[in-house]
Amino acid sequence: MNSSITHTNSCTLHTHSNPRSGLMAIIAIHSTKLGPALGGCRCISYPDTDAATEDVTRLAKGMSYKAALAGIHHGGGKSVLIRPKTFKNRHTYFEEFGEFVESLGGDYITSVDSGTNIEDMDDISHSTSYVCGTSNDGCTPSIFTSLGVLEGIKAAVRKKMRRQSMDGIHVVIQGVGNVGAALAISLEELGAKISISDINDATLNACLERMKSPDEVMVIPPDDVYRSSCDVFAPCGLGGIINPSNLQHLECKIVAGSANNQLSQESDGVLLHKKGILYAPDYVINAGGLIDVSLIPNGISEQEVTIKTKQIGDTLEEIFDRAEQENKPCHTVANQMAENILYH
Ligand code: NAD
């Protein structure tokens, strides 16, 4: 067993490895200025430790910015577990990770992320109370993420299209898993015209089955999604999809969806701005799940969580207005607002 603490430019990194269990864990804490660092636990394959360290560091910083603009009393942190080829025992693996989280004394609180699930959170909870998103804490993060995205899309439509209603607004949703499907259903209720796309046919069909009028929903092949002319492009699949090769094809007025790290690089946000496409910064619009997992376990009612999540629309309105007044890309304005809270 081996544990260590190191400091990088932006984060404190706590590492723990145990060849017997196969656990190789890195917890990155970016900031605890606003409260204990909260962020999910990702358990995926990485080519090497450097790649895992880079990922966890970037994600932890993103969580600080997200919590700051969501008005949550939490700092930014994240953990990555370098996924073993096979788990010797998945339960004890996550219980051991729980012990590692516990050893930080509450500076970091973990939750679900890519490659982990509610059962894993239950196993972690056997060793620490610094975990949320377990089967009995009442959190439903995807529902609140989708609500926040809906409010964000409405704010963007008001700003860019001067329209108060979603009636007839054409939204293309890329990825109709937990968040995208819930978003499609809410938008349908508001009279929006919906197109959906997913690389997984079963997920696509499951979404269609939940829609009131599936015949009116257009299904777009994954490769054609960027060329689809629409009002709103809502990326709800994976990150990095706003990149130089896709950007030239985009024919939308607004980009607003739940996916994390939508911009492959900062300059993509500048290009969106130059093209006149209004971009709702990802970590602002997708904060509903964080709001849910940070408040519900502390006894805050769903009604209050709903109110706080809807405020994502107000925050985005402020970002859109400032971006217009200062002629700056929206992601730049959002970063400046978060940094004002975190560093001043
Ligand atoms: P999910 O895995 O349930 O759904 C994602 C869907 O996207 C899947 O059905 C997948 O097949 C599809 N997909 C992936 N790549 C695609 C592509 N190139 N084209 C079309 N479809 C594609 O995930 P989710 O929980 O709905 O989250 C969606 C996104 O939002 C993720 O990027 C996630 O990190 C982010 N996010 C989710 C939450 C949450 O509360 N669930 C919170 C914040 C951010």
Side-chain angles (χ1 to χ4, degrees):
M1 238 172 3
N2 192 4
S3 298
S4 69
I5 302 177
T6 51
H7 300 276
T8 69
N9 284 347
S10 66
C11 289
T12 303
L13 297 177
H14 301 260
T15 57
H16 173 88
S17 62
N18 180 356
R20 286 184 63 192
S21 61
L23 182 66
M24 284 182 73
I26 312 172
I27 295 175
I29 297 184
H30 174 261
S31 168
T32 52
K33 183 181 171 193
L34 303 176
L38 172 61
C41 168
R42 191 169 268 203
C43 181
I44 58 175
S45 305
Y46 287 95
D48 51 40
T49 314
D50 283 352
T53 305
E54 195 184 320
D55 199 30
V56 75
T57 306
R58 186 179 49 91
L59 291 164
K61 182 178 175 188
M63 289 307 294
S64 288
Y65 282 47
K66 187 186 286 206
L69 287 194
I72 292 296
H73 299 299
H74 277 289
K78 204 88 180 181
S79 51
V80 301
L81 310 182
I82 301 177
R83 195 181 183 92
K85 284 203 174 76
T86 52
F87 290 99
K88 286 176 188 155
N89 182 327
R90 189 164 176 132
H91 297 293
T92 52
Y93 176 93
F94 279 99
E95 280 168 358
E96 184 179 344
F97 176 63
E99 286 167 23
F100 180 37
V101 171
E102 178 68 18
S103 74
L104 270 59
D107 281 353
Y108 169 68
I109 302 167
T110 197
S111 187
V112 183
D113 201 274
S114 311
T116 57
N117 56 43
I118 291 175
E119 290 75 42
D120 299 330
M121 297 305 117
D122 286 347
D123 288 332
I124 292 170
S125 75
H126 298 156
S127 318
T128 183
S129 57
Y130 302 119
V131 53
C132 46
T134 62
S135 57
N136 57 14
D137 66 11
C139 295
T140 49
S142 302
I143 299 297
F144 285 96
T145 301
S146 131
L147 174 64
V149 173
L150 179 68
E151 292 303 311
I153 290 176
K154 288 200 268 185
V157 165
R158 285 195 296 272
K159 180 75 190 175
K160 183 75 188 171
M161 301 176 67
R162 310 276 169 214
R163 289 273 304 272
Q164 298 300 318
S165 147
M166 288 301 296
D167 198 23
I169 300 289
H170 183 197
V171 185
V172 171
I173 305 175
Q174 180 189 44
V176 283
N178 295 316
V179 178
L183 179 66
I185 290 160
S186 310
L187 285 166
E188 184 184 42
E189 274 172 21
L190 297 178
K193 183 181 159 201
I194 318 281
S195 297
I196 62 173
S197 181
D198 203 292
I199 48 172
N200 184 327
D201 285 345
T203 310
L204 204 58
N205 291 330
C207 175
L208 285 171
E209 275 170 25
R210 291 173 63 194
M211 313 277 305
K212 271 196 197 122
S213 309
D215 296 346
E216 288 173 25
V217 176
M218 203 197 309
V219 173
I220 303 178
D223 290 344
D224 296 347
V225 80
Y226 305 106
R227 294 170 193 271
S228 305
S229 172
C230 61
D231 297 312
V232 183
F233 172 49
C236 297
L238 289 182
I241 40 79
I242 304 295
N243 55 46
S245 92
N246 296 337
L247 251 161
Q248 54 180 321
H249 302 301
L250 281 185
E251 280 197 49
C252 57
K253 300 182 179 74
I254 293 161
V255 173
S258 73
N260 279 313
N261 303 319
Q262 290 169 33
L263 306 178
S264 73
Q265 51 201 356
E266 293 273 310
S267 56
D268 300 329
V270 178
L271 281 175
L272 280 176
H273 177 66
K274 285 190 178 152
K275 273 179 80 111
I277 296 175
L278 187 65
Y279 172 59
D282 46 14
Y283 64 82
V284 183
I285 195 170
N286 72 14
L290 173 67
I291 293 171
D292 177 51
V293 298
S294 66
L295 298 184
I296 291 282
N298 292 317
I300 309 293
S301 70
E302 270 201 20
Q303 203 181 5
E304 283 175 78
V305 173
T306 301
I307 292 169
K308 188 122 190 108
T309 302
K310 286 189 171 180
Q311 287 167 357
I312 287 173
D314 304 333
T315 307
L316 282 167
E317 243 168 53
E318 188 181 341
I319 290 168
F320 297 151
D321 287 345
R322 282 202 197 181
E324 184 180 49
Q325 285 153 15
E326 298 168 22
N327 190 22
K328 283 183 184 161
C330 291
H331 76 284
T332 307
V333 172
N335 288 348
Q336 285 169 348
M337 284 167 64
E339 284 158 11
N340 268 338
I341 297 169
L342 289 168
Y343 303 127
H344 296 109

